Amino acid sequence: MKTTIAITLAAIAAMPLAAGADDFPKRTVELIFPWGPGNAMSASQILAEAMSEELGVSIPVISTPGAAGTKAFQIAMNKPADGYTILDGYVAPLVLQPVLGKADWTYADFVPLHAAFSNAFAIGTAADDDRWANFEAMMNYCADHPAELRYTTGSRNNLPHMVIAKVLQSYDCVAQNIPYTANGDAMSDLKNGVLDFGFINVGDYQQNGDDYTIQLVLSELPASAAAFGGAPSIADLDVDLGLSGLGPMGWNWWLVRKDTPPDRLEILREAMKAAIERPEVQEKVNALGFAALEWDWDQYDEIVGPVAGQFEAMGNALKWEEEQLAKY
């Protein structure tokens, strides 16, 4: 009998991180992802797989696109607050849609496990366009030739349009935003000189980097500039654009419902932190053009809180752009 007890105690001591006060988790933990398949989902799957190894249970990534990401949030909020549902909290449904009045929650209605990834974007010109020596020279030209330059961010009034409008306003640059329904058409027109500059996402740059000159990476993070081949970023400018932290780029934190039991929350936090710090995880997401974020859960309010105010300033920049273009 003593031998049996000793073996049992040894087995308990060797149990993985999943062994909490109530033996949580006992079954699959779902990650609700707000977009369709693509690089962002691949990055989340890499991290989910590593976190599942930490917990000892499966973590499938459930794609639930719709309503600019808010459908996923509504589904997650209707699940029990038992720690078995994690929300992939991307910036658009978490902060932007509430600022636009299209969702009735705030970031404070959720509790974080850990920051996940940045998904930065950039302003680029065609690779053979040598009219300007750098981004600031292009902005000076734009200020002297209002409404002459044409650019695209894909659809109008999306996050890249808001960010770029704020940048242009800072330089008194009035340029025309040309909408596209297909990103491929926009990139083709940029490369063929129909457009003067445009929004370049990191995935497109990773695949077609030789087609573009990256004028400005819209992120302060060194890892984001590295993802664009070490191009200049907003951190290199002498002008305060009012864009700092997470405001000017795509990003996500993994979240759970606010009323999740504290002991289960702690287990999930420890598992995610261990997973995202794995070198192989960071190497894989870097290959996708994403950068792992180091911020832990206790920095959530400090980092995410200012983003709503920045989005409001970006919304004002869109109005400024419309008002200025109406003059020409």
Side-chain angles (χ1 to χ4, degrees):
M1 178 63 74
K2 290 182 178 179
T3 301
T4 302
I5 293 174
I7 292 173
T8 301
L9 292 175
I12 292 173
M15 288 179 73
L17 181 61
D22 61 353
D23 198 22
F24 171 82
K26 298 176 181 176
R27 55 179 171 81
T28 295
V29 175
E30 292 186 340
L31 179 72
I32 305 297
F33 179 77
W35 316 118
N39 276 8
M41 185 167 172
S42 296
S44 290
Q45 287 173 320
I46 291 167
L47 181 55
E49 182 178 348
M51 187 170 166
S52 75
E53 292 170 358
E54 297 288 337
L55 289 172
V57 298
S58 175
I59 304 181
V61 179
I62 312 298
S63 173
T64 51
T70 58
K71 178 181 175 182
F73 274 57
Q74 290 167 342
I75 289 173
M77 288 190 294
N78 286 327
K79 297 275 190 176
D82 56 8
Y84 285 99
T85 301
I86 301 172
L87 177 59
D88 202 334
Y90 262 88
V91 56
L94 180 63
V95 183
L96 179 56
Q97 293 306 314
V99 168
L100 298 176
K102 298 180 180 178
D104 59 0
W105 54 75
T106 75
Y107 73 94
D109 289 321
F110 307 91
V111 292
L113 304 184
H114 197 282
F117 311 114
S118 76
N119 178 11
F121 46 85
I123 296 174
T125 52
D128 59 357
D129 186 347
D130 58 0
R131 287 177 290 172
W132 305 290
N134 53 44
F135 177 75
E136 293 193 299
M138 185 169 73
M139 290 295 96
N140 291 336
Y141 177 91
C142 178
D144 292 337
H145 301 80
E148 179 181 313
L149 298 185
R150 294 155 53 91
Y151 76 103
T152 189
T153 54
S155 59
R156 290 174 57 84
N157 299 329
N158 56 8
L159 178 60
H161 188 189
M162 295 176 70
V163 175
I164 292 176
K166 184 68 174 66
V167 173
L168 302 185
Q169 183 186 31
S170 299
Y171 286 92
D172 199 25
C173 165
V174 181
Q176 300 181 56
N177 182 284
I178 309 300
Y180 286 81
T181 55
N183 189 58
D185 293 339
M187 296 300 98
S188 177
D189 280 356
L190 176 61
K191 288 181 279 190
N192 290 316
V194 176
L195 300 169
D196 297 288
F197 62 93
F199 145 77
I200 310 292
N201 68 51
V202 71
D204 191 32
Y205 179 78
Q206 295 278 321
Q207 295 180 10
N208 307 294
D210 290 342
D211 292 335
Y212 310 113
T213 295
I214 300 302
Q215 300 289 349
L216 189 69
V217 179
L218 295 164
S219 166
E220 298 173 315
L221 300 177
S224 297
F228 282 97
S233 79
I234 57 175
D236 300 315
L237 300 176
D238 293 329
V239 176
D240 181 6
L241 302 177
L243 299 171
S244 60
L246 291 178
M249 59 185 176
W251 49 264
N252 60 335
W253 288 63
W254 285 10
L255 313 167
V256 294
R257 280 184 44 169
K258 201 170 186 176
D259 46 349
T260 300
D263 57 340
R264 297 188 180 194
L265 178 60
E266 184 60 26
I267 289 170
L268 292 173
R269 281 174 170 165
E270 290 182 10
M272 183 177 178
K273 182 178 176 63
I276 202 165
E277 289 179 348
R278 288 187 181 187
E280 72 273 20
V281 169
Q282 300 200 14
E283 182 178 339
K284 289 178 181 177
V285 298
N286 288 346
L288 295 172
F290 287 56
L293 296 173
E294 298 178 351
W295 295 307
D296 207 349
W297 67 270
D298 56 352
Q299 296 172 279
Y300 179 68
D301 290 344
E302 170 193 355
I303 301 299
V304 179
V307 175
Q310 290 178 321
F311 282 167
E312 290 175 1
M314 294 175 202
N316 292 334
L318 288 178
K319 295 176 183 176
W320 172 84
E321 184 180 84
E322 292 178 3
E323 292 169 356
Q324 295 301 312
L325 285 170
K327 299 177 182 177
Y328 300 96

